């Protein structure tokens, strides 16, 4: 399943993170897998049962760290959960998604963005602690963390680097299918 980048920017609300798409180059990130890829664009009015059906039938879920990622609960064990982890959200990404996903039998892939992939790299100089030491900035308190990393950060993925994660996830899924016992009739 391919989730449109705009899914990351929760329509109808102030987005905490959004992915700036590369219209012509986005296809580079898609891994040919011999299966049908589906786009799923849930919004705030999408029925929960539809989200359940889509994710339960999917091999993978890809999205940016945020509340909507809790839909991983609808995925079956052995599938892949890929979370794009913005700067300054490492701890929350691991605690809220990485650990629970693994306990439910899903393969967790945390794609930590580099400072160059963050819109913050255009607001702050190269050596600024916002870019080099997000954990140190977080020690200033929740208000600072929320203001800097959650409210103002957008993401522009390095598609070549992200594709590597997609290829590894695909290899994991293919290997899992080969290990499955064949049904006997």
């Amino acid at each position: 399943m391919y989730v449109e980048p705009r899914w990351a920017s929760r329509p109808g609300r102030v987005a905490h993170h959004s992915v700036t798409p590369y219209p012509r180059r986005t296809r580079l990130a898609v891994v040919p897998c011999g299966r049908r890829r589906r786009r799923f664009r849930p919004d705030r009015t999408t029925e929960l049962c539809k989200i359940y059906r889509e994710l339960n039938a999917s091999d993978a879920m890809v999205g940016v760290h945020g509340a909507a990622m809790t839909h991983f609960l609808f995925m079956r064990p052995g599938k892949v959960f890929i979370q794009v982890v913005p700067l300054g959200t490492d701890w929350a990404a691991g605690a809220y998604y990485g650990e629970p996903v693994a306990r439910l039998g899903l393969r967790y892939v945390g794609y930590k963005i580099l400072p160059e992939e963050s819109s913050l790299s255009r607001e702050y100089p190269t050596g600024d602690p916002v870019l080099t030491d997000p954990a140190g900035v977080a020690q200033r308190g929740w208000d600072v963390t929320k203001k800097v990393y959650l409210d103002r950060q957008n993401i522009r993925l390095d598609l070549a680097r992200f594709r590597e994660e997609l290829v590894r996830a695909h290899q994991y899924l293919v290997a899992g299918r080969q290990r499955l016992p064949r049904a006997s009739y």
Side-chain angles (χ1 to χ4, degrees):
M1 180 169 149
Y2 169 68
V3 179
E4 285 271 315
R6 78 178 204 138
W7 183 46
S9 64
R10 302 171 211 119
R13 293 183 48 195
V14 174
H16 287 286
H17 307 289
S18 66
V19 175
T20 304
Y22 296 85
R24 293 189 179 151
R25 296 190 321 181
T26 302
R27 290 189 201 144
L28 293 175
V30 177
V31 179
C33 58
R35 293 190 57 157
R36 201 170 123 223
R37 291 182 299 267
R38 294 166 45 119
R39 291 181 182 178
F40 181 51
R41 297 185 201 179
D43 61 31
R44 65 184 179 169
T45 63
T46 304
E47 293 178 12
L48 198 56
C49 62
K50 181 174 182 176
I51 295 170
Y52 170 82
R53 278 193 306 271
E54 290 289 336
L55 288 175
N56 192 260
S58 298
D59 289 329
M61 176 177 168
V62 179
V64 177
H65 173 78
M69 296 298 280
T70 58
H71 292 124
F72 75 82
L73 292 167
F74 301 147
M75 297 180 72
R76 290 173 287 131
K79 302 308 177 183
V80 177
F81 177 87
I82 302 174
Q83 177 179 208
V84 176
V85 181
L87 294 180
T89 64
D90 291 2
W91 177 84
Y96 300 150
Y97 300 106
E99 294 168 18
V101 160
R103 276 185 259 147
L104 289 176
L106 299 170
R107 173 72 169 240
Y108 175 75
V109 177
Y111 176 82
K112 292 183 181 182
I113 70 162
L114 299 174
E116 306 83 62
E117 294 173 281
S118 171
S119 60
L120 298 175
S121 67
R122 292 180 292 285
E123 292 182 40
Y124 295 90
T126 304
D128 194 284
V130 165
L131 303 173
T132 61
D133 185 22
V137 173
Q139 290 177 348
R140 295 186 210 161
W142 170 247
D143 291 339
V144 173
T145 300
K146 183 178 181 310
K147 180 181 172 189
V148 174
Y149 296 111
L150 299 179
D151 293 341
R152 294 191 0 232
Q153 182 171 199
N154 291 315
I155 297 164
R156 189 171 190 112
L157 292 175
D158 174 340
L159 293 180
R161 189 170 155 257
F162 186 62
R163 186 178 197 283
E164 293 172 13
E165 296 298 336
L166 294 176
V167 168
R168 278 194 280 279
H170 176 254
Q171 290 169 342
Y172 168 81
L173 289 166
V174 168
R177 273 193 214 95
Q178 292 169 352
R179 286 191 304 263
L180 292 175
R182 296 206 182 263
S184 58
Y185 296 100

